[in-house]
Amino acid sequence: MRVIFAGTPEFARVALERLHAAGFVIPLVLTQPDRPAGRGMKLQPSPVKQFALEHGIAVAQPRSLRLDGKYPEDAAAARAALLEAGADVMVVAAYGLILPQWVLDLPRLGCLNIHASLLPRWRGAAPIHRAIEAGDAETGVTIMQMDAGLDTGDMLVDERIAIAPEDTTATLHDKVAALGGRLIVEALELAACGGLKPVKQPAEGVTYAHKIEKAEAAIDWSQPAEALARRIRAFDPFPGATAQVGGETVKFWKARALPGRGSVEPGTIVSVDAAGIGVACGDEGRLEVTELQRAGGRRLPASEFLRGFPLQAGQRFEA
C-alpha cells in the first residue's frame, strides 16, 4: 500500500515513524513550511520534515492546498506531487492545513485522520489540553475517515486510554501519540483487506476543543482550586499558567488542590513553606503550588524558587 502522509508536529512524527517501520511505501510527505524558532529565530523544519529527510522521503510544504486560494501556485504544485505519488490513501495527523475536497477525493481509499480524542468528544485543535482541563477520566485516539466537516467523518478504529491524576499535556501527548501510531498501522492493515467498518459519529456528546490561546494563561483566582490545578496541568508545556506578584510574571507548572483557604480574597497567599505556596481560590480551597518559574529563569521546586524570590503570607497574586 502506498501512503501519502500529511502532518507537522511531534505527534505526527511518531505516526510517520510507525508507518515507515511497518513497511508501508511512503512516496510523499506534506508538512507545514519551515518556521522561525529558538533564540536566533532561524527557520526550523518540522519534526515530520526532519524524519522524512533522514529517510529519503520526498517532502512538499505548500502554504495552502486551495487551488482558488491565496497561494494557487503552491496548491497546483502540491496537486502535481500528489498525483505523481499515486498513493492508495493519505494519512493525516495534526497537519495544520484544511484539506479541500479535491484532496479528500484523490486517493483510492480517501484520507484517514489520527485524532487525539474519543470522537465526537473534543473535535477541533486542542483535544489533549481540553480533556485535561475539563477533568475527563479518559481520552483516546480515533482513526477517522475524513470528510469536509471539522472532525465529523466516520469512525474506523478507536481505543481508550486513562488520564492519570498527574498527567500534563506533555505526558498525555506522548501516550496518545504512541497509541495513534499503533492504531493507524492497524487501520491500514485492515483497509488492505477490506476489513474496515465505518461507524457514524453519534449526534450526542459533541464538544469542541478550541485552539489554546496565550491569553488563557492568566490565572483567574476566582475559580475553584481543583479547576485551576487541572488548568495548570493542561497548559504544560504551552502556554503555561501565569500570575503577577511583586511586579513580576510568575509561571505555575505544578500544583494541587487542598481544602481550607481562610477568610481572604482569592489570589492571596495563605501559606509559604518548602512543600509549596498556598494560594486562596474562589471556592473553599487553596492551590498549593509546588513548581514555579520566573521570567527568563528555570522551572524550580517551590523551596528553590523561594530562595531567589521570597514570598510571604498576605501577599496577593494578580491575574
Side-chain angles (χ1 to χ4, degrees):
M1 183 179 289
R2 294 173 64 82
V3 181
I4 293 170
F5 187 86
T8 298
E10 179 63 18
F11 179 87
R13 188 206 62 78
V14 172
L16 177 59
E17 181 180 21
R18 288 295 297 267
L19 291 170
H20 186 268
F24 290 100
V25 177
I26 306 171
L28 178 66
V29 156
L30 299 182
T31 192
Q32 286 276 323
D34 296 358
R35 306 290 190 202
R39 291 189 176 181
M41 295 301 287
K42 295 181 180 179
L43 289 178
Q44 299 291 330
S46 71
V48 163
K49 180 180 178 179
Q50 291 179 44
F51 182 90
L53 295 179
E54 289 166 3
H55 293 83
I57 303 171
V59 175
Q61 296 177 272
R63 291 166 291 179
S64 170
L65 290 168
R66 292 181 58 87
L67 295 168
D68 59 350
K70 185 176 180 181
Y71 304 105
E73 67 281 3
D74 283 32
R79 181 179 175 87
L82 289 167
L83 289 169
E84 184 178 353
D88 299 291
V89 66
M90 179 187 287
V91 170
V92 182
Y95 176 32
L97 287 185
I98 294 174
L99 302 189
Q101 194 64 45
W102 73 262
V103 177
L104 299 175
D105 294 339
L106 192 62
R108 176 174 61 88
L109 297 174
C111 300
L112 307 190
N113 178 245
I114 306 170
H115 187 75
S117 81
L118 299 170
L119 291 169
R121 186 157 178 80
W122 301 127
R123 295 174 179 172
I128 298 175
H129 301 75
R130 300 306 184 189
I132 293 176
E133 184 183 19
D136 291 2
E138 63 180 8
T139 185
V141 169
T142 305
I143 307 300
M144 176 192 69
Q145 186 81 49
M146 296 181 72
D147 61 15
L150 176 62
D151 300 328
T152 56
D154 291 351
M155 301 179 294
L156 303 173
V157 181
D158 64 14
E159 188 169 319
R160 297 172 182 272
I161 186 171
I163 299 178
E166 68 278 6
D167 265 330
T168 65
T169 289
T171 61
L172 188 57
H173 166 280
D174 292 350
K175 297 175 187 178
V176 173
L179 176 59
R182 175 167 63 80
L183 287 188
I184 192 59
V185 169
E186 293 178 12
L188 292 185
E189 289 172 345
L190 285 170
C193 62
L196 287 176
K197 294 179 173 57
V199 176
K200 295 288 184 186
Q201 291 189 37
E204 302 78 26
V206 175
T207 57
Y208 288 92
H210 298 287
K211 180 182 177 181
I212 303 296
E213 303 289 349
K214 285 185 178 181
E216 296 182 70
I219 292 178
D220 177 1
W221 294 105
S222 68
Q223 296 295 309
E226 184 57 48
L228 293 181
R230 292 197 306 265
R231 174 167 278 215
I232 288 168
R233 292 190 291 114
F235 287 8
D236 179 359
F238 175 85
T242 64
Q244 310 288 323
V245 65
E248 287 201 34
T249 299
V250 176
K251 282 193 175 184
F252 300 82
W253 293 113
K254 288 185 180 179
R256 58 177 179 161
L258 295 175
R261 71 173 179 89
S263 56
V264 296
E265 290 294 315
T268 303
I269 298 174
V270 296
S271 63
V272 179
D273 55 41
I277 301 162
V279 188
C281 299
D283 56 359
E284 294 303 313
R286 71 183 190 274
L287 193 69
E288 185 178 70
V289 186
T290 58
E291 186 175 286
L292 307 89
Q293 180 182 12
R294 295 175 71 175
R298 297 181 295 112
R299 291 181 167 195
L300 294 172
S303 58
E304 293 184 35
F305 179 87
L306 290 167
R307 284 199 288 269
F309 194 87
L311 295 170
Q312 58 187 356
Q315 286 183 270
R316 190 175 177 193
F317 283 106
E318 304 288 347

